[in-house]
mmCIF file of all heavy atoms in Angstrom:
data_model
loop_
_atom_site.group_PDB
_atom_site.id
_atom_site.type_symbol
_atom_site.label_atom_id
_atom_site.label_comp_id
_atom_site.label_asym_id
_atom_site.label_seq_id
_atom_site.Cartn_x
_atom_site.Cartn_y
_atom_site.Cartn_z
ATOM 1 N N LEU A 17 -8.967 4.322 4.094
ATOM 2 C CA LEU A 17 -10.141 4.154 3.244
ATOM 3 C C LEU A 17 -10.669 5.507 2.979
ATOM 4 O O LEU A 17 -10.994 6.260 3.797
ATOM 5 C CB LEU A 17 -11.122 3.285 3.985
ATOM 6 C CG LEU A 17 -12.422 2.983 3.182
ATOM 7 C CD1 LEU A 17 -12.223 2.164 1.934
ATOM 8 C CD2 LEU A 17 -13.513 2.312 4.165
ATOM 9 N N SER A 63 -56.608 5.804 25.499
ATOM 10 C CA SER A 63 -55.944 4.816 26.163
ATOM 11 C C SER A 63 -57.008 3.776 26.826
ATOM 12 O O SER A 63 -56.520 2.740 27.211
ATOM 13 C CB SER A 63 -55.031 5.487 27.380
ATOM 14 O OG SER A 63 -55.898 6.333 28.219
ATOM 15 N N LEU A 65 -59.107 2.427 25.432
ATOM 16 C CA LEU A 65 -59.452 1.338 24.395
ATOM 17 C C LEU A 65 -58.199 0.503 24.108
ATOM 18 O O LEU A 65 -58.220 -0.312 23.300
ATOM 19 C CB LEU A 65 -59.928 2.003 23.087
ATOM 20 C CG LEU A 65 -61.164 2.938 23.301
ATOM 21 C CD1 LEU A 65 -61.454 3.579 21.993
ATOM 22 C CD2 LEU A 65 -62.354 2.050 23.740
ATOM 23 N N LEU A 74 -43.160 2.826 22.337
ATOM 24 C CA LEU A 74 -42.626 3.460 21.156
ATOM 25 C C LEU A 74 -42.637 4.950 21.269
ATOM 26 O O LEU A 74 -41.565 5.578 20.957
ATOM 27 C CB LEU A 74 -43.389 2.980 19.950
ATOM 28 C CG LEU A 74 -42.899 3.434 18.538
ATOM 29 C CD1 LEU A 74 -41.445 3.142 18.371
ATOM 30 C CD2 LEU A 74 -43.823 3.096 17.532
ATOM 31 N N ASN A 89 -25.882 16.078 18.906
ATOM 32 C CA ASN A 89 -25.535 17.013 17.863
ATOM 33 C C ASN A 89 -25.081 18.360 18.275
ATOM 34 O O ASN A 89 -24.266 19.078 17.527
ATOM 35 C CB ASN A 89 -26.685 17.129 16.849
ATOM 36 C CG ASN A 89 -26.878 15.893 16.094
ATOM 37 O OD1 ASN A 89 -26.081 15.512 15.288
ATOM 38 N ND2 ASN A 89 -27.984 15.114 16.403
ATOM 39 N N ALA A 90 -25.583 18.858 19.472
ATOM 40 C CA ALA A 90 -25.154 20.094 20.015
ATOM 41 C C ALA A 90 -23.652 20.089 20.324
ATOM 42 O O ALA A 90 -22.911 20.911 20.106
ATOM 43 C CB ALA A 90 -26.120 20.561 21.214
ATOM 44 N N LEU A 148 -60.973 -2.748 22.350
ATOM 45 C CA LEU A 148 -62.328 -2.358 21.945
ATOM 46 C C LEU A 148 -63.383 -3.319 22.410
ATOM 47 O O LEU A 148 -64.586 -2.877 22.698
ATOM 48 C CB LEU A 148 -62.281 -2.298 20.300
ATOM 49 C CG LEU A 148 -61.626 -1.141 19.700
ATOM 50 C CD1 LEU A 148 -61.425 -1.269 18.320
ATOM 51 C CD2 LEU A 148 -62.455 0.213 20.047
ATOM 52 N N LYS A 167 -69.018 5.159 27.499
ATOM 53 C CA LYS A 167 -69.968 5.414 26.494
ATOM 54 C C LYS A 167 -69.523 6.643 25.648
ATOM 55 O O LYS A 167 -69.683 6.556 24.435
ATOM 56 C CB LYS A 167 -71.266 5.592 27.085
ATOM 57 C CG LYS A 167 -72.432 5.864 26.187
ATOM 58 C CD LYS A 167 -73.749 6.021 26.869
ATOM 59 C CE LYS A 167 -74.951 6.455 25.777
ATOM 60 N NZ LYS A 167 -74.609 7.521 24.991
ATOM 61 N N VAL A 194 -77.286 -1.624 26.403
ATOM 62 C CA VAL A 194 -78.256 -0.786 27.104
ATOM 63 C C VAL A 194 -78.211 -1.137 28.581
ATOM 64 O O VAL A 194 -78.411 -2.337 28.933
ATOM 65 C CB VAL A 194 -79.716 -0.939 26.517
ATOM 66 C CG1 VAL A 194 -80.694 -0.111 27.323
ATOM 67 C CG2 VAL A 194 -79.648 -0.573 25.070
ATOM 68 N N ASN A 243 -84.851 -7.318 11.023
ATOM 69 C CA ASN A 243 -86.219 -7.598 10.936
ATOM 70 C C ASN A 243 -86.767 -6.777 9.731
ATOM 71 O O ASN A 243 -87.035 -5.549 9.829
ATOM 72 C CB ASN A 243 -86.991 -7.190 12.288
ATOM 73 C CG ASN A 243 -88.387 -7.580 12.165
ATOM 74 O OD1 ASN A 243 -89.002 -8.146 11.189
ATOM 75 N ND2 ASN A 243 -89.086 -7.309 13.296
ATOM 76 N N SER A 249 -90.168 -1.128 2.993
ATOM 77 C CA SER A 249 -89.272 -1.262 1.961
ATOM 78 C C SER A 249 -87.892 -1.488 2.287
ATOM 79 O O SER A 249 -86.984 -0.784 2.015
ATOM 80 C CB SER A 249 -89.416 -0.099 0.939
ATOM 81 O OG SER A 249 -88.626 -0.188 -0.199
ATOM 82 N N ILE A 279 -43.663 8.253 10.775
ATOM 83 C CA ILE A 279 -42.667 8.539 11.870
ATOM 84 C C ILE A 279 -41.336 7.620 11.488
ATOM 85 O O ILE A 279 -40.202 8.072 11.506
ATOM 86 C CB ILE A 279 -43.118 8.315 13.249
ATOM 87 C CG1 ILE A 279 -44.193 9.219 13.633
ATOM 88 C CG2 ILE A 279 -41.959 8.243 14.183
ATOM 89 C CD1 ILE A 279 -44.829 8.975 14.969
ATOM 90 N N ALA A 281 -40.392 6.548 8.596
ATOM 91 C CA ALA A 281 -39.721 7.185 7.449
ATOM 92 C C ALA A 281 -38.860 8.369 7.804
ATOM 93 O O ALA A 281 -37.736 8.541 7.321
ATOM 94 C CB ALA A 281 -40.777 7.433 6.327
ATOM 95 N N VAL A 291 -25.673 9.762 10.154
ATOM 96 C CA VAL A 291 -24.473 9.124 9.507
ATOM 97 C C VAL A 291 -23.619 10.177 8.753
ATOM 98 O O VAL A 291 -22.337 10.189 8.816
ATOM 99 C CB VAL A 291 -24.996 7.962 8.664
ATOM 100 C CG1 VAL A 291 -23.797 7.497 7.776
ATOM 101 C CG2 VAL A 291 -25.600 6.867 9.446
ATOM 102 N N GLU A 347 -6.784 -11.942 35.175
ATOM 103 C CA GLU A 347 -7.172 -11.467 36.429
ATOM 104 C C GLU A 347 -7.968 -12.362 37.373
ATOM 105 O O GLU A 347 -7.856 -12.495 38.538
ATOM 106 C CB GLU A 347 -7.814 -10.090 36.157
ATOM 107 C CG GLU A 347 -7.072 -8.983 35.706
ATOM 108 C CD GLU A 347 -7.847 -7.739 35.382
ATOM 109 O OE1 GLU A 347 -9.085 -7.770 35.695
ATOM 110 O OE2 GLU A 347 -7.261 -6.744 34.826
ATOM 111 N N GLU A 350 -5.687 -15.478 38.981
ATOM 112 C CA GLU A 350 -4.643 -15.253 40.025
ATOM 113 C C GLU A 350 -5.048 -15.944 41.180
ATOM 114 O O GLU A 350 -6.084 -15.807 41.862
ATOM 115 C CB GLU A 350 -4.501 -13.766 40.153
ATOM 116 C CG GLU A 350 -3.871 -13.108 39.029
ATOM 117 C CD GLU A 350 -3.499 -11.580 39.228
ATOM 118 O OE1 GLU A 350 -3.994 -11.095 40.306
ATOM 119 O OE2 GLU A 350 -3.051 -10.961 38.377
ATOM 120 N N PRO A 352 -5.054 -16.589 45.197
ATOM 121 C CA PRO A 352 -4.862 -15.888 46.480
ATOM 122 C C PRO A 352 -3.609 -16.123 47.118
ATOM 123 O O PRO A 352 -3.051 -17.339 47.164
ATOM 124 C CB PRO A 352 -6.084 -16.261 47.221
ATOM 125 C CG PRO A 352 -6.515 -17.656 46.821
ATOM 126 C CD PRO A 352 -6.127 -17.695 45.383
#
Side-chain angles (χ1 to χ4, degrees):
L17 180 66
S63 58
L65 305 176
L74 182 59
N89 289 290
L148 284 168
K167 178 182 182 299
V194 178
N243 185 359
S249 184
I279 294 174
V291 171
E347 289 176 4
E350 289 180 358

